Amino acid sequence: MALEGALKLKEISYIHAEGYPAAEMKHGPIALIDRFMPVVFIAMKDSTFEKVVSNIEEVVARDGVVIVVTDAEDGELDHLCEHVIRVPQTHHMLSPLLTVIPLQILSYYIAVLRGCDVDQPRNLAKSVTVE
């Protein structure tokens, strides 16, 4: 879902974005973090949650702006993150359906704020054609 969120941000707002697994945060992307670098995390209450929280703490320590999409209801992330977008808890196989929606809406509003035409993104075909 991180890849899909980054793709949508690139497609309609023309902002470079990359999606990374939590395990790869310390292998390059962390070098870019400062107070001007917003970072969007997907932190579902599953086996990766603690690792993602650790990465959030690393970004916060570097003054990065943290936005998180989560199903955590206990407020554990509220003190760490600037913005918390909550989705309902569900079966882990269905969580991608719930997390992609806020990422797409976030991309939409960023594009609108930048004055981009979200209905006709530049350089994108509305259909895939094979020749």
Side-chain angles (χ1 to χ4, degrees):
M1 288 303 88
L3 292 172
E4 176 61 27
L7 177 65
K8 190 56 66 183
L9 189 62
K10 286 185 271 194
E11 286 177 341
I12 66 173
S13 71
Y14 318 123
I15 295 174
H16 180 75
E18 297 182 46
Y20 280 95
E24 294 181 20
M25 181 71 177
K26 295 179 184 172
H27 297 286
I30 202 159
L32 301 172
I33 305 299
D34 62 17
R35 62 189 171 108
F36 302 109
M37 177 62 66
V39 182
V40 179
F41 285 94
I42 301 170
M44 304 305 279
K45 279 291 227 180
D46 58 18
S47 61
T48 65
F49 187 75
E50 294 306 318
K51 177 70 172 175
V52 174
V53 170
S54 173
N55 286 341
I56 291 171
E57 291 169 343
E58 293 282 343
V59 170
V60 169
R62 289 162 177 78
D63 293 327
V65 176
V66 177
I67 302 165
V68 66
V69 177
T70 185
D71 62 352
E73 296 176 347
D74 54 12
E76 182 176 351
L77 298 173
D78 293 356
H79 72 284
L80 286 174
C81 306
E82 306 239 355
H83 304 282
V84 177
I85 302 168
R86 286 192 171 72
V87 296
Q89 290 182 343
T90 188
H91 188 275
H92 74 279
M93 295 295 285
L94 297 175
S95 67
L97 296 173
L98 295 178
T99 57
V100 74
I101 295 168
L103 297 176
Q104 290 174 336
I105 292 171
L106 180 63
S107 297
Y108 171 84
Y109 281 109
I110 290 170
V112 168
L113 286 171
R114 291 175 48 90
C116 301
D117 184 352
V118 295
D119 293 320
Q120 293 185 341
R122 65 181 184 218
N123 303 324
L124 290 180
K126 288 290 182 181
S127 64
V128 177
T129 57
V130 178
E131 292 185 28

